């Protein structure tokens, strides 16, 4: 059974940092493109970052470039999102997702349950 379990969210002041983790089971992350989405209250879910397994490139939402970094630990089968210089507008529920083979960083087929990130002033 494929599972993605996020952790690491919480309350942080603007300018602070958090590292989100996504522990995967039921598949090997090295074989799939994997990434992070977020959804703020009253807004649509948006893609934040993706690691494309085919070309090894990473993609970021324009507003988080230079502040967020996606990485993986294949030994732990875990994906991370390091978030620095957090802003109020980064407040959202963050979801880890696995992308379908052949639809790298395009269509996700499995999602985690989400972890809340709240940035305060």
């Amino acid at each position: 059974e494929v599972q993605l379990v996020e952790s690491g969210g919480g309350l942080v002041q603007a300018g602070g940092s958090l590292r989100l983790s996504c522990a995967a089971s039921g598949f090997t992350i090295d074989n799939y493109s994997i990434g992070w989405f977020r959804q703020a209250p009253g807004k649509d879910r948006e893609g934040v970052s993706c690691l494309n397994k085919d070309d090894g490139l990473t993609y970021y939402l324009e507003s988080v470039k230079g502040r967020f970094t996606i990485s993986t630990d294949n030994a732990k089968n875990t994906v991370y999102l390091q978030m620095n210089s957090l802003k109020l507008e980064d407040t959202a529920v963050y979801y880890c997702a696995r992308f379908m083979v052949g639809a790298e960083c395009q269509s996700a087929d499995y999602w985690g349950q989400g972890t809340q990130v709240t940035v305060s002033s």
Side-chain angles (χ1 to χ4, degrees):
E1 179 187 8
V2 172
Q3 285 192 321
L4 298 164
V5 180
E6 302 97 333
S7 61
L11 175 64
V12 63
Q13 285 192 323
S17 298
L18 281 175
R19 188 178 78 158
L20 305 184
S21 298
C22 172
S25 60
F27 71 102
T28 302
I29 61 172
D30 198 34
N31 294 331
Y32 290 85
S33 296
I34 196 155
W36 293 88
F37 289 76
R38 69 185 182 186
Q39 187 167 21
K43 295 188 177 181
D44 292 334
R45 185 158 52 188
E46 61 181 356
V48 175
S49 180
C50 180
L51 173 59
N52 188 318
K53 72 165 181 66
D54 283 347
D55 57 22
L57 295 179
T58 54
Y59 300 90
Y60 295 95
L61 182 68
E62 188 64 34
S63 62
V64 309
K65 284 181 180 178
R67 300 188 298 120
F68 290 12
T69 304
I70 188 171
S71 63
T72 60
D73 184 333
N74 291 337
K76 295 182 178 180
N77 216 36
T78 297
V79 185
Y80 302 98
L81 185 67
Q82 178 67 44
M83 306 187 296
N84 299 328
S85 303
L86 282 161
K87 303 177 180 180
L88 297 178
E89 53 264 41
D90 294 320
T91 295
V93 178
Y94 283 73
Y95 300 88
C96 176
R98 188 188 84 168
F99 291 88
M100 298 172 63
V101 174
E104 316 305 333
C105 296
Q106 297 292 324
S107 298
D109 57 359
Y110 285 93
W111 302 82
Q113 83 289 350
T115 186
Q116 176 70 49
V117 171
T118 303
V119 184
S120 65
S121 57

